[in-house]
Amino acid sequence: MEKIPIFFKCPGCSGTVMVMDSGMCKAPSTGALSVSCSGNEMDLLSEQTADFATEKHVPIVEKVEGGIKVTVGSTAHPMTDEHYIMWIGVQAGDDLMIHYLKPGDAPEAIFPCPDTNVKAYECCNIHDLWVNR
């Protein structure tokens, strides 16, 4: 059975957390997901799939020699200190791979996947979580 990761972001430090097993983060009293950072309740990130304004956030997957390349947006996403992609990830069945980025890097990553039929993720420091499907 394919696991679906869940992502949270701290409103204080903007750090992100990936929860692999959502059953581990349920509050005993309510049964709701609950994750905190330095005393701050973290925000659950919704998977966004359409960026109609400028197409800068939806991950694009293409086959390349040795695997697949994930590029963030059909228009290159900015990679400045103020606005950048923090990480790109792909999920292929039960496998999940993440590549971390920093300002100045190209908004892309190459993963050793044999097939383009993957769920691609990216997390923008301002606009949060985006997926390709």
Side-chain angles (χ1 to χ4, degrees), residues 15-124:
T16 57
V17 171
M18 177 177 63
V19 176
M20 302 294 290
D21 185 347
S22 62
M24 301 299 291
C25 297
K26 294 196 177 184
S29 58
T30 64
L33 288 176
S34 177
V35 177
S36 63
C37 174
S38 300
N40 295 314
E41 185 71 21
M42 296 182 80
D43 298 325
L44 176 64
L45 297 181
S46 299
E47 294 181 352
Q48 302 174 82
T49 59
D51 184 9
F52 299 112
T54 55
E55 293 298 329
K56 285 193 278 191
H57 288 99
V58 178
I60 298 168
V61 179
E62 66 179 299
K63 184 78 173 142
V64 295
E65 187 172 330
I68 60 170
K69 178 179 176 181
V70 178
T71 303
V72 178
S74 57
T75 299
H77 189 282
M79 292 297 287
T80 65
D81 288 337
E82 298 79 24
H83 187 191
Y84 64 99
I85 302 304
M86 298 185 299
W87 53 264
I88 298 171
V90 295
Q91 183 174 14
D94 290 332
D95 296 323
L96 181 66
M97 294 171 269
I98 294 179
H99 180 80
Y100 293 96
L101 300 169
K102 61 187 178 309
D105 289 346
E108 61 189 34
I110 296 177
F111 298 93
C113 294
D115 184 337
T116 58
N117 186 25
V118 298
K119 184 172 185 179
Y121 300 87
E122 69 92 342
C123 193
C124 173

Side-chain angles (χ1 to χ4, degrees), residues 2-18:
E2 184 176 304
K3 296 270 187 177
I4 306 296
I6 299 170
F7 299 92
F8 290 85
K9 185 175 180 180
C10 177
C13 71
S14 295
T16 57
V17 171
M18 177 177 63

